[in-house]
C-alpha cells in the first residue's frame, strides 16, 4: 500500500470508498475464521478485509482530488474500535463483525470525512457510520452452526482511499491514496 501522501489515479471514473485496513496479524486471524464458515457463504478474501468509513460510489478524478485535498489539510485523528458482534445484514446479504462507536476520535473522523465528501459534491451518506468488517457475502441469516470470531481491537494508523474494481476473479480494492491518522 502506498504510505506516502501521493495520489494514484488509475484513469476514468472509479467506484471509491474511504476506509482503514487491518494489521497483518488481524488479517491472518480473520482469514482462519473465514476458512471455517459454512458452505453457501462467500468468504471475503483476506486481502480485501477492511473497515469502510464512507462509501463514495462512482467518482471523477476531480471529485476524488477535492475530497482528498480537504482531508489532507486536516489533522485526522487516530481512533480505536472494538469489533465483537457477529451480525447478518439481510438487505446487502453480508455476515459481518461489528462494533459500536465509543471513541470520540472516530466520531470526529467521520465528521471530517462527511464534510470533505460534501465539499467534493458527493451526496449525503445513506446510512450512519456503523463500524464493521464484512466477513462473507450471500448471507441471509446468521449461520446455524456456531462461528467463533475473536473480538478485534482495530487501531489503524492510516486512512485510505480505496477503489472497488470488479474483475472476472472477483472484486479487488487497490489503495489510491493514504493519509496518516494522528494521535492527539
Amino acid at each position: 500500500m502506498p504510505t506516502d501522501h501521493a495520489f494514484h489515479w488509475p484513469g476514468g471514473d472509479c467506484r471509491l470508498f474511504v476506509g482503514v485496513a487491518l494489521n497483518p496479524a488481524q488479517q491472518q486471524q480473520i482469514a482462519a475464521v473465514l476458512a471455517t464458515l459454512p458452505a453457501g457463504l462467500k468468504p471475503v478474501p483476506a486481502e480485501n478485509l477492511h473497515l469502510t468509513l464512507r462509501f463514495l460510489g462512482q467518482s471523477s478524478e476531480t471529485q476524488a482530488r477535492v475530497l482528498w485535498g480537504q482531508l489532507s489539510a486536516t489533522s485526522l485523528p487516530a481512533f480505536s474500535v472494538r469489533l465483537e458482534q457477529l451480525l447478518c445484514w439481510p438487505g446487502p446479504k453480508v455476515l459481518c463483525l461489528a462494533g459500536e462507536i465509543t471513541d470520540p476520535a472516530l466520531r470526529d473522523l467521520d465528521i471530517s470525512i462527511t464534510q470533505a465528501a460534501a465539499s467534493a459534491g458527493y451526496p449525503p451518506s445513506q446510512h450512519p457510520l456503523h463500524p464493521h468488517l464484512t466477513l462473507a457475502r450471500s448471507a441471509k441469516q446468521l449461520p446455524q452452526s456456531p462461528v467463533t470470531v475473536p473480538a478485534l481491537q482495530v487501531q489503524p494508523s492510516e486512512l485510505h482511499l480505496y477503489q472497488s474494481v470488479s474483475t472476472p476473479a472477483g472484486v479487488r480494492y487497490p489503495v489510491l491514496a493514504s493519509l496518516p491518522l494522528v494521535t492527539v
Side-chain angles (χ1 to χ4, degrees), residues 13-167:
D13 285 357
C14 297
R15 190 172 165 92
L16 304 178
F17 63 92
V18 177
V20 297
L22 299 181
N23 68 39
Q26 290 170 328
Q27 265 190 326
Q28 287 180 343
Q29 195 176 17
I30 295 300
V33 171
L34 297 176
T36 69
L37 291 177
L41 293 177
K42 294 180 182 172
V44 171
E47 62 272 10
N48 281 352
L49 294 170
H50 67 276
L51 272 73
T52 299
L53 298 178
R54 177 71 151 72
F55 178 73
L56 300 167
Q58 207 60 20
S59 303
S60 69
E61 180 177 1
T62 300
Q63 266 186 306
R65 286 191 183 275
V66 168
L67 168 96
W68 213 247
Q70 291 275 325
L71 291 173
S72 298
T74 307
S75 179
L76 302 171
F79 67 90
S80 179
V81 63
R82 184 172 176 82
L83 304 177
E84 58 189 348
Q85 185 179 16
L86 191 63
L87 298 175
C88 178
W89 290 341
K93 296 182 182 168
V94 296
L95 179 69
C96 59
L97 185 61
E100 300 298 322
I101 300 174
T102 58
D103 186 345
L106 180 51
R107 287 194 196 286
D108 292 345
L109 181 60
D110 183 46
I111 290 167
S112 293
I113 294 168
T114 298
Q115 290 171 343
S119 294
Y122 290 101
S125 181
Q126 296 178 9
H127 307 284
L129 177 60
H130 189 172
H132 69 280
L133 173 65
T134 299
L135 301 174
R137 302 198 180 285
S138 299
K140 296 177 184 158
Q141 62 186 23
L142 286 173
Q144 298 300 321
S145 57
V147 175
T148 303
V149 182
L152 288 182
Q153 191 70 36
V154 180
Q155 296 173 285
S157 60
E158 289 184 308
L159 183 70
H160 302 297
L161 179 63
Y162 289 95
Q163 180 185 12
S164 178
V165 181
S166 293
T167 72

